[in-house]
Amino acid sequence: MTTVSSVMPVKTFQVDALPVRVYASQADLSQDVARVVQAYLREVLAAKGSAAAILATGNSQIKFLEALIQLGGVDWSKITLFHMDEYLGISGDHKASFRRYMRERVESRVKPRAFHYLEGDALLPMDECDRYTALLKAQPIDLCCLGVGENGHLAFNDPPVANFEDKRQVTIAKLDEKCRLQQVGEGHFPGMDAVPQYALTLTIPTLCSAKKVICIAPEKRKAQAIKDALQGPISTACPASILRKQPHATMFVDTDSISLL
């Protein structure tokens, strides 16, 4: 277990029900959010002996996940993990696959009790949504760690398809152009033609139903989305704005991602 001195935010404020913590750098943010998540998971395990968590992929999560694993002090053998989305039609070995991201960055290193994956290449995608819904319903979700897309999406709930009242827990969504461009810009695909047009995704009500929600949104390229989420209307035009109605959520940003406020 690594001992890490506490990093303090340079600023904190609240927008509606949502506390926001601002850090001098992405490194500081990652270190402190890892400490917060570690403490919470240990608290849940001490209280009930097991835990379930949903983790996000994407470049913005890499430093946080690395910091959390390096910190240690969590009995992962008692934790069931889920992820929140996967491209429709790609294999688990594709370099852009979120299953591969989680296997390599998390599962192979911490050995959780279970890591349930969305099978993007399932022969019957609607049945896959049902299968994953049953897994999610099998236990309460204690923690959801999510990011914010450049278009303000949560998971793959892009503005054209996001639904704050969705009755489904898992659905198939068409990805909007800005979202697909982000996947190319982050280096996951060589060009737009290679990016799948659809993905399996947990819905916004599913993400928000976790007992604790941690939003990790660093980097300059997220600045417009963070401005829209915190200062625009609470609307599916910026899906992340719904976090302002979640008193059990906290948003962690750095001075780059908050730069337009």
Side-chain angles (χ1 to χ4, degrees), residues 117 135 185:
Y117 291 113
L135 290 169

Side-chain angles (χ1 to χ4, degrees), residues 199-210:
L200 303 169
T201 185
L202 274 57
T203 61
I204 287 174
T206 303
L207 301 172
C208 292
S209 70

Side-chain angles (χ1 to χ4, degrees), residues 29-89:
L29 182 162
S30 301
Q31 188 173 308
D32 202 41
V33 76
R35 182 189 58 78
V36 169
V37 168
Q38 181 219 44
Y40 176 68
L41 288 174
R42 291 174 69 168
E43 181 184 307
V44 172
L45 290 175
K48 62 178 194 173
S50 64
I54 299 167
L55 299 178
T57 53
N59 290 8
S60 65
Q61 307 298 303
I62 292 172
K63 290 182 179 178
F64 151 64
L65 290 171
E66 183 62 32
L68 179 62
I69 291 168
Q70 290 290 333
L71 194 55
V74 175
D75 187 351
W76 293 98
S77 70
K78 296 177 179 175
I79 299 177
T80 299
L81 295 175
F82 296 85
H83 64 143
M84 53 186 63
D85 43 22
E86 180 61 286
Y87 299 104
L88 187 64

Side-chain angles (χ1 to χ4, degrees), residues 11 13 15 20 223 226-228 230-231 257-261:
K11 181 180 181 182
F13 59 95
V15 181
V20 181
I226 297 303
K227 178 181 170 62
D228 293 344
L230 297 180
Q231 295 187 333
S257 59
I258 209 92
S259 59
L260 295 181
L261 267 68

Side-chain angles (χ1 to χ4, degrees), residues 171-236:
T171 192
I172 299 169
K174 187 168 187 179
L175 308 182
D176 82 354
E177 185 171 311
K178 192 168 181 182
C179 172
R180 294 173 70 224
L181 279 169
Q182 179 181 331
Q183 311 311 314
V184 176
E186 290 185 356
H188 304 303
F189 294 94
M192 279 286 277
D193 290 348
V195 185
Q197 294 198 37
Y198 291 86
L200 303 169
T201 185
L202 274 57
T203 61
I204 287 174
T206 303
L207 301 172
C208 292
S209 70
K211 293 177 184 175
K212 187 179 188 73
V213 175
I214 298 284
C215 178
I216 302 158
E219 301 180 53
K220 182 80 78 176
R221 63 197 175 90
K222 303 296 177 71
Q224 186 63 53
I226 297 303
K227 178 181 170 62
D228 293 344
L230 297 180
Q231 295 187 333
I234 297 176
S235 154
T236 56

Side-chain angles (χ1 to χ4, degrees), residues 137-159:
K137 285 182 173 178
Q139 72 281 294
I141 303 299
D142 299 291
L143 174 68
C144 176
C145 296
L146 48 76
V148 175
E150 291 174 29
N151 63 357
H153 73 206
L154 300 177
F156 272 138
N157 298 283
D158 287 337

